Amino acid sequence: MGRYLTFLILLLHFSSVSAMTPDSIHDGHQSVGLVLSGGGAKGIAHIGVIRALEDNGIPIDYITGTSMGAIVGGLYACGYTTDEMLRLLLSDSFSYWSTGTMDPRLSYYLNRAQQTPVMFTLPLSLGDTTASDVPQSLISPLPMNFAFMELFAPFTAQTGGDFDRLMVPFRCVASDVAAKKKKVLSSGSVGDAIRASMSFPAVFQPTDIDGALLYDGGIYDNFPVDVMRRDFAPDIMIGVDVSTKETDPQTSIIDQLSNLIIQNNDYSLPADEGIKLSINLNEFGLLDFPKARRIYRIGYDHAMSMMDSIKSRIHTRVDSTSRTLRRDVFKSATPYLRFDDVSVSGASPRQNQFIDYIFERQFHGDTLSADGARRAYYMSLSTDKLRDLTVAADYNDSTDLFGLRLKASVKNNFKAAFGGYLTSSNNSYLFLSAGYSTLSFNSVSANLNLWLGQSDMAAMLNGDIVLQSHTPSRISMQAVVSRRKFYDDDYMFYETRIPSFIIGHQYFGRLSWAIEAGYLGKFEIGAGYGHLNDSYHRDIYSRDSGFGRYRSLHNLGQIFATYQSSTLDDINFPTKGYMYRLSAMGFTGDFRLKDPDGDIVGDYNPCWMQLEMRSRNYLPLPRRWSVGIEGDIMLSTRKLYGSYNSAIISAPNFAPTPASNNTFNPAFRANSFIAAGVVPIYRFSDNLSARLLCSAFMPLRKILDTDLGTAEYGRWFSHPEFYGEAAVTYKFPFATLSAYANYASFPARNWNVGLAFGVYLHAPDFLR
């Protein structure tokens, strides 16, 4: 029955092809070759040109392309419509893999290491010089490895690797830099060929094809007219040139690098051989993919403005029905991407077995779906132990299934990292880390992290053992020593001030066990013990240290259970994704209050439970807008004991932004509270955005200071507060630069402004 339907479609297809318009009958069918130049994001204009040609019935019989022209031409040759191509280039998935960013929606949450303010990671080979962890390109190849396999492997299988058998016969050009010549790719893996053609040096890693490392075809031939002439010899050519001329102003490092690398190319197309469309896109950079719709429209409009000339040279027409049937016939023969076998090489035998095990867990019956393979691939990457993991799919036409071949390159076990947060206030710190980790069935990792700053000083030692069973789990140990100073204003770092009026020390350890809760979540239970020491003056705002300091001393045992899940794209300034965290904690122990002479003036045995819920949802809106909805709930049975100062200092703090963590504000501290915020965001580009946070904070019962210096609860829901912050941020691959201005409703006229660069994440807090 299936063969009969295919035959019927073919019959209708050829019947419609034979029903040409009078113009096409006049001179017989003209074969048309489409030549597409490279040009980075400017190559999106090729899609607009193709759409204009289709809207006017102009046939496309052959395609040659370089770099972005190879991507667009290859997708079209594989049966993608112009709408499908544009949706792909505008998708979050394309944004992630084209920038080398791990999609947080695919990152296996249980495998993620604890977040720290790391900006750069360095390898520590300790005598092992067989491999380096230094990146070979600006953009990580890891997300692109799987994406290109998934996009193009079915078409390679369908055609047997013969590009003449694609829906439109296709050629793309790459560069063999070692041999100093171009290489025309006409067979093999469609995905590898296109990827080689777009592998711009230093930006992307080269692609290994038959033992040769191939780079961007634009180095030697950015406008492959000669390839079209030699391989296909069409009756007429349409050439589309979107390249930027060397005389134009270069506005980015990538543009300048392009002019240094790209050789003298021939962009000519003789008038007797065809029509050339030179599209002026000099206002756009090579990486301006977020401006895809504008670039597409410029390409479409330019082609439409040339359509009379094109029609005067090309008399053949192909109606939309014929084209659609041709595409449907081609796609009907495309095999579905499913796997019945996985093989792993490149690492040690035990490591290969472990990666293979991750994929085997995703099998349902005898087959592995593309979605399951994608989950397993990103689960492997989430270990943060793989330098590279290449993917290939081998088709077996007797089973109509694929075999998945993986080649792993494993990082060194030892590493060092550094990062930090540099700000115009007194909240700057330097972050240093050293770690050891393994990749195996029961992986082990250990890290020593240091925060060195004016306000924050901390050391954290943590270790993990990941247990592979039917449901993977993790045993974690954590030990923290920290000292934090609090100020009553956001003083600039260069201002000379009397020392801070509150100093808090924490010394604690925790042991926990976590288990996966779905692919993107984890459930964790544990226990800990901590000593907390807060020192302050009788008047916590006093600047005169001559009166000495009071000390609040807690010795507490802790049990906790948490659920958390996150797909946020940034720790400090997210623009998309979500985060949910629910924690239940119980505390018991003793508390002592000491006066400046060291005498105990208060002795208590506190015991309380607390429940904390946090949510962050960042939703995309039309026209570069997005909005964040934030919510925080803290519920506690904690009783008030000791002095007002000790109660307000140890109470949970609401600090929705990095800058708000810099000050001690009692109006935003409470044992129980509800807070909500809205964050409208406008994205000028993927990196540059402006945001406005508006947060309302409501303590269930405000902690009040009595005339005797003790603490008491106020009336229910009676002291609302407001916090707002406007910020402009620019995201680098490793950190964020921000300029901000914020306002708090208490105390009056509480405005602060500042600049910051880095990643803000302070050491863990025992009470949260």
Side-chain angles (χ1 to χ4, degrees):
M1 183 65 178
R3 292 181 179 177
Y4 174 76
L5 290 175
T6 301
F7 173 76
L8 181 59
I9 292 173
L10 285 168
L11 182 63
L12 291 171
H13 165 62
F14 289 115
S15 296
S16 62
V17 169
S18 64
M20 295 182 179
T21 64
D23 282 341
S24 66
I25 297 173
H26 179 70
D27 288 327
H29 182 84
Q30 290 174 284
S31 59
V32 180
L34 182 63
V35 180
L36 305 177
S37 79
K42 292 175 285 188
I44 298 169
H46 294 319
I47 304 175
V49 172
I50 292 172
R51 182 57 180 268
L53 296 176
E54 287 191 338
D55 286 351
N56 287 272
I58 306 299
I60 300 174
D61 298 295
Y62 311 104
I63 296 179
T64 60
T66 295
S67 195
M68 192 63 190
I71 295 177
V72 173
L75 288 170
Y76 188 77
C78 289
Y80 280 75
T81 67
T82 54
D83 288 341
E84 288 171 339
M85 286 191 282
L86 194 58
R87 280 197 299 270
L88 174 65
L89 295 179
L90 286 169
S91 68
D92 287 341
S93 296
F94 177 84
S95 176
Y96 285 126
W97 57 257
S98 65
T99 57
T101 304
M102 299 300 168
D103 187 342
R105 300 167 301 181
L106 296 172
S107 182
Y108 185 54
Y109 200 80
L110 183 67
N111 277 355
R112 294 190 202 177
Q114 182 171 347
Q115 287 185 318
T116 58
V118 166
M119 294 164 63
F120 301 100
T121 300
L122 301 174
L124 296 175
S125 62
L126 299 183
D128 178 13
T129 59
T130 59
S132 170
D133 285 349
V134 178
Q136 299 179 38
S137 58
L138 294 175
I139 293 176
S140 168
L142 292 170
M144 198 177 293
N145 288 346
F146 193 90
F148 268 72
M149 184 279 296
E150 187 175 14
L151 280 172
F152 296 108
F155 304 109
T156 301
Q158 177 182 358
T159 61
D162 182 356
F163 296 178
D164 286 341
R165 294 172 56 194
L166 292 168
M167 189 190 82
V168 179
F170 171 67
R171 298 287 186 272
C172 67
V173 178
S175 295
D176 187 338
V177 176
K180 292 183 171 53
K181 65 179 182 179
K182 71 180 180 183
K183 184 174 181 63
V184 179
L185 299 167
S186 61
S187 62
S189 166
V190 178
D192 286 352
I194 294 173
R195 186 168 178 181
S197 184
M198 55 154 284
S199 295
F200 194 81
V203 179
F204 299 105
Q205 285 188 190
T207 303
D208 187 340
I209 295 182
D210 297 331
L213 295 179
L214 303 184
Y215 287 92
D216 192 297
I219 297 175
Y220 298 117
D221 188 357
N222 203 36
F223 193 50
V225 169
D226 61 333
V227 177
M228 177 65 73
R229 182 188 298 122
R230 184 195 68 195
D231 283 24
F232 298 125
D235 294 323
I236 190 169
M237 287 184 266
I238 300 174
V240 187
D241 178 14
V242 298
S243 63
T244 299
K245 306 302 180 288
E246 295 183 8
T247 55
D248 293 321
Q250 302 305 297
T251 58
S252 72
I253 294 176
I254 300 299
D255 289 325
Q256 296 175 46
L257 187 61
S258 175
N259 274 345
L260 289 173
I261 293 174
I262 299 299
Q263 305 294 309
N264 293 325
N265 273 283
D266 182 4
Y267 289 94
S268 65
L269 174 57
D272 61 340
E273 293 187 72
I275 305 163
K276 181 180 177 183
L277 280 63
S278 296
I279 305 176
N280 186 350
L281 294 162
N282 295 336
E283 62 180 288
F284 302 101
L286 293 173
L287 300 179
D288 275 341
F289 290 101
K291 300 175 182 177
R293 291 194 185 278
R294 281 180 58 201
I295 299 172
Y296 164 85
R297 191 68 203 184
I298 291 172
Y300 182 86
D301 290 343
H302 184 86
M304 291 300 293
S305 71
M306 297 282 291
M307 197 53 63
D308 288 343
S309 297
I310 294 171
K311 287 182 175 180
S312 70
R313 299 283 303 277
I314 300 173
H315 306 293
T316 299
R317 301 287 180 268
V318 177
D319 61 70
S320 60
T321 302
S322 172
R323 185 182 297 109
T324 300
L325 282 172
R326 182 185 181 194
R327 182 175 285 116
D328 290 344
V329 169
F330 179 79
K331 288 185 173 181
S332 70
T334 305
Y336 186 67
L337 189 63
R338 294 177 302 157
F339 307 94
D340 64 351
D341 178 64
V342 176
S343 63
V344 185
S345 63
S348 70
R350 189 65 173 165
Q351 291 169 335
N352 291 338
Q353 291 174 13
F354 173 62
I355 297 171
D356 180 80
Y357 169 77
I358 293 176
F359 281 82
E360 292 291 341
R361 287 185 62 222
Q362 298 296 323
F363 270 76
H364 292 284
D366 295 330
T367 60
L368 173 66
S369 67
D371 288 341
R374 191 187 313 110
R375 283 194 299 271
Y377 181 79
Y378 277 86
M379 188 180 294
S380 302
L381 299 186
S382 298
T383 63
D384 195 33
K385 281 297 297 173
L386 293 172
R387 181 186 304 107
D388 201 359
L389 185 61
T390 60
V391 191
D394 293 331
Y395 182 61
N396 185 338
D397 56 7
S398 65
T399 63
D400 202 28
L401 295 171
F402 292 81
L404 189 64
R405 291 190 291 107
L406 303 151
K407 185 175 181 180
S409 175
V410 181
K411 294 179 180 178
N412 294 309
N413 289 343
F414 293 92
K415 67 177 181 180
F418 65 94
Y421 186 67
L422 304 176
T423 175
S424 55
S425 71
N426 47 37
N427 207 26
S428 300
Y429 61 77
L430 177 67
F431 178 79
L432 302 173
S433 177
Y436 171 85
S437 60
T438 64
L439 181 70
S440 66
F441 282 91
N442 295 311
S443 301
V444 176
S445 64
N447 291 277
L448 175 62
N449 302 318
L450 301 174
W451 286 258
L452 306 172
Q454 181 178 356
S455 296
D456 284 287
M457 294 280 286
M460 178 176 71
L461 176 66
N462 63 277
D464 297 281
I465 301 175
V466 178
L467 307 175
Q468 294 296 333
S469 58
H470 179 70
T471 303
S473 61
R474 175 192 295 266
I475 297 175
S476 300
M477 178 277 296
Q478 182 184 79
V480 176
V481 177
S482 68
R483 182 231 66 195
R484 194 169 188 202
K485 295 182 178 181
F486 292 94
Y487 302 83
D488 63 347
D489 205 349
D490 196 15
Y491 298 125
M492 298 298 177
F493 71 95
Y494 53 81
E495 293 187 70
T496 302
R497 296 285 178 175
I498 296 174
S500 59
F501 57 92
I502 299 172
I503 303 176
H505 293 85
Q506 294 192 4
Y507 312 87
F508 66 87
R510 286 173 173 153
L511 183 66
S512 64
W513 175 73
I515 189 171
E516 70 172 26
Y519 191 80
L520 294 175
K522 71 175 181 179
F523 176 74
E524 186 173 14
I525 58 174
Y529 182 82
H531 173 73
L532 283 61
N533 182 341
D534 296 319
S535 65
Y536 48 88
H537 301 295
R538 177 188 293 273
D539 177 359
I540 59 175
Y541 294 104
S542 171
R543 300 272 182 200
D544 186 354
S545 61
F547 293 107
R549 288 180 175 267
Y550 282 79
R551 295 186 181 275
S552 297
L553 306 174
H554 281 96
N555 293 296
L556 297 171
Q558 172 194 82
I559 58 173
F560 60 88
T562 66
Y563 166 79
Q564 49 192 337
S565 177
S566 176
T567 64
L568 293 179
D569 62 341
D570 189 83
I571 299 174
N572 298 143
F573 301 102
T575 59
K576 55 189 172 185
Y578 66 81
M579 185 280 292
Y580 302 112
R581 185 176 189 273
L582 173 64
S583 69
M585 309 182 87
F587 298 90
T588 187
D590 63 72
F591 168 82
R592 287 172 295 164
L593 177 63
K594 292 186 176 182
D595 65 17
D597 295 326
D599 297 327
I600 298 176
V601 294
D603 194 349
Y604 306 89
N605 295 107
C607 181
W608 77 91
M609 296 288 296
Q610 73 182 37
L611 179 69
E612 183 177 10
M613 292 170 281
R614 302 189 67 202
S615 69
R616 303 286 185 267
N617 276 282
Y618 283 79
L619 309 172
L621 297 175
R623 300 182 180 276
R624 298 185 175 275
W625 286 92
S626 58
V627 62
I629 307 296
E630 302 189 349
D632 293 83
I633 300 176
M634 172 70 75
L635 303 175
S636 174
T637 63
R638 188 174 186 178
K639 292 180 171 58
L640 296 175
Y641 50 85
S643 66
Y644 166 78
N645 291 344
S646 63
I648 199 69
I649 289 170
S650 62
N653 181 36
F654 174 67
T657 67
S660 61
N661 273 279
N662 193 42
T663 61
F664 181 87
N665 192 329
F668 291 87
R669 287 176 173 263
N671 288 331
S672 299
F673 63 81
I674 299 174
V678 59
V679 191
I681 303 166
Y682 183 78
R683 302 182 306 278
F684 299 99
S685 68
D686 278 356
N687 298 324
L688 180 65
S689 63
R691 60 201 294 128
L692 175 65
L693 167 71
C694 299
S695 291
F697 172 83
M698 172 65 76
L700 269 60
R701 301 182 71 184
K702 184 179 177 66
I703 301 174
L704 301 176
D705 189 5
T706 69
D707 293 338
L708 299 176
T710 59
E712 66 178 17
Y713 281 126
R715 292 183 294 111
W716 290 86
F717 302 107
S718 57
H719 293 83
E721 302 291 349
F722 171 82
Y723 181 86
E725 182 170 299
V728 176
T729 65
Y730 187 88
K731 293 184 180 181
F732 295 91
F734 49 87
T736 300
L737 174 66
S738 63
Y740 64 86
N742 58 48
Y743 170 80
S745 56
F746 179 89
R749 298 181 297 278
N750 189 4
W751 287 93
N752 290 290
V753 297
L755 294 171
F757 176 75
V759 181
Y760 183 78
L761 195 64
H762 57 71
D765 186 336
F766 184 68
L767 298 178
R768 303 291 289 271

